Amino acid sequence: MVSTCMDPSLYDHEGNTPTPKKKSFSSSSSNTKKLSRPERKKMERAIKKSRKTGIYQLHSTRISELNVQSSTLEDVMIAIKRAQNLHDDQDIGTIGRFLLEGVDDTFAYGYKGSVLARFAVAALRCGQYDIAQQALDERQTKFQDSMQPHESAAIVRGWNRANLSKKAFEVLDQELSLTSINDNIDEAAASEIVKHRALSLAAIASRHFYENQSLVALKACQMLIDLSSTVKQMGLTEEFLSIPWDRLEEGAKECSSPDAKESSCVSMIKTTQSHFPSHEHVATTWEDTLNEIMEKSTRTTAAEN
């Protein structure tokens, strides 16, 4: 089903960059379990066979293979989900070869860029950083025009979860930059970019507070503050942004980094939150309205008596 690929829950600029010469996909990765010589030879034979036949064998009983001629988008998404959940390194490599070497750019009804994003997130979850980067390079080179903010945010979270904040900030600046908002995109699309940039920064700050890496967390908070003027200018609400302030504050309280005191971390969260829209004015309005209704009811009852 096409919608499976596009579902944001599964995952968070244009330029004339020359297309690099396509590299042969490698199953090697610094995070891949080292294989014995017989296992390595068996894998090499399987790779050669799949390149020749267009059939890529998987460990799954439900989707036992991916076929260049007949496999569907849904087949690939099921295979990716299984490989991620079971941390199946070999299947991650096989799916990667299928996507990068097997099928062409028209695969998945024109949504191949989104499939590559979903695959990269799964590879990052499994610690397969080299494979993930190859998929992201392909996506960035060939499918830049169709990249979605929720996909970019998911990739940021993937690098962030791997404690590779430099990579997370790179994706943030490349794919969720405010410079990407121009006259060529509508208000709704611009709002999504700002929303997912904010949520990505919140995710970076939260994880690094919990990991006692306050400098990175505080940097993300400052970037949130810098973003707040755009949020106000666009009239975005707290409900739309859904920034998890409570989790951020809890992370700041837990932070025991030597670079910053707990009190300064918590203070930074409160300062950051103060720059954003809040429920307070809404709550006050409802409270005033309720009080007014109660006062009218009291006056009416008194008059009747």
Side-chain angles (χ1 to χ4, degrees):
M1 295 174 64
V2 179
S3 58
T4 303
C5 178
M6 299 297 102
D7 185 356
S9 66
L10 294 177
Y11 299 95
D12 172 347
H13 56 271
E14 294 189 18
N16 297 320
T17 306
T19 302
K21 183 177 180 181
K22 185 172 182 179
K23 297 180 181 179
S24 177
F25 183 82
S26 172
S27 60
S28 64
S29 171
S30 57
N31 305 90
T32 304
K33 177 183 175 183
K34 189 173 181 180
L35 301 175
S36 65
R37 189 172 185 277
E39 289 174 326
R40 190 169 64 253
K41 290 295 182 181
K42 181 180 179 181
M43 177 178 286
E44 289 172 355
R45 289 193 298 270
I47 292 173
K48 289 180 180 178
K49 182 178 179 180
S50 62
R51 285 172 177 166
K52 183 177 180 179
T53 63
I55 298 175
Y56 296 73
Q57 298 292 333
L58 300 173
H59 294 142
S60 172
T61 54
R62 183 177 178 185
I63 306 294
S64 60
E65 64 181 31
L66 294 175
N67 190 313
V68 171
Q69 299 297 326
S70 60
S71 289
T72 65
L73 168 60
E74 186 175 9
D75 293 337
V76 176
M77 297 304 288
I78 292 172
I80 290 174
K81 184 175 182 179
R82 176 201 168 275
Q84 174 182 315
N85 290 343
L86 298 182
H87 282 243
D88 191 327
D89 293 346
Q90 290 189 30
D91 273 9
I92 286 288
T94 300
I95 297 166
R97 287 192 296 276
F98 174 81
L99 291 172
L100 295 174
E101 290 185 351
V103 294
D104 61 25
D105 296 343
T106 63
F107 177 74
Y109 319 105
Y111 291 115
K112 187 179 177 183
S114 294
V115 181
L116 288 170
R118 178 66 185 90
F119 168 75
V121 170
L124 290 173
R125 279 291 188 102
C126 296
Q128 302 299 301
Y129 308 141
D130 294 344
I131 299 172
Q133 188 62 64
Q134 289 185 58
L136 294 175
D137 288 344
E138 181 93 351
R139 173 176 172 269
Q140 181 74 234
T141 301
K142 294 185 176 181
F143 305 99
Q144 194 176 88
D145 291 343
S146 62
M147 295 190 302
Q148 299 298 313
H150 68 264
E151 298 168 359
S152 302
I155 295 164
V156 170
R157 293 194 301 272
W159 287 121
N160 186 48
R161 193 178 293 110
N163 288 320
L164 293 169
S165 60
K166 183 178 179 180
K167 288 284 190 182
F169 280 117
E170 284 177 0
V171 176
L172 192 75
D173 291 339
Q174 290 171 358
E175 302 185 16
L176 294 172
S177 171
L178 295 183
T179 58
S180 62
I181 300 176
N182 52 51
D183 295 336
N184 296 325
I185 64 174
D186 59 28
E187 183 178 344
S191 297
E192 286 296 311
I193 292 173
V194 174
K195 172 183 178 178
H196 286 290
R197 181 176 177 84
L199 291 175
S200 295
L201 287 168
I204 292 172
S206 176
R207 175 164 286 271
H208 284 84
F209 276 135
Y210 279 106
E211 295 288 340
N212 298 320
Q213 298 177 22
S214 62
L215 292 182
V216 177
L218 294 174
K219 174 185 176 181
C221 287
Q222 183 57 56
M223 292 175 72
L224 272 170
I225 291 174
D226 295 341
L227 181 63
S228 64
S229 59
T230 302
V231 169
K232 292 177 181 177
Q233 183 180 355
M234 296 178 68
L236 304 182
T237 64
E238 183 180 36
E239 292 83 358
F240 176 75
L241 293 172
S242 299
I243 297 174
W245 296 113
D246 290 344
R247 177 170 172 76
L248 282 166
E249 187 170 341
E250 285 301 315
K253 289 178 180 178
E254 293 289 331
C255 186
S256 58
S257 168
D259 300 316
K261 296 180 179 179
E262 174 197 320
S263 58
S264 62
C265 292
V266 174
S267 177
M268 184 59 165
I269 292 300
K270 292 185 179 298
T271 300
T272 305
Q273 186 175 8
S274 71
H275 284 76
F276 282 79
S278 70
H279 283 297
E280 290 180 2
H281 68 284
V282 177
T284 301
T285 301
W286 277 107
E287 184 177 351
D288 290 344
T289 302
L290 181 60
N291 288 337
E292 184 179 347
I293 292 172
M294 292 178 66
E295 288 175 5
K296 286 183 178 179
S297 177
T298 301
R299 288 196 299 269
T300 301
T301 302
E304 290 176 350
N305 294 334

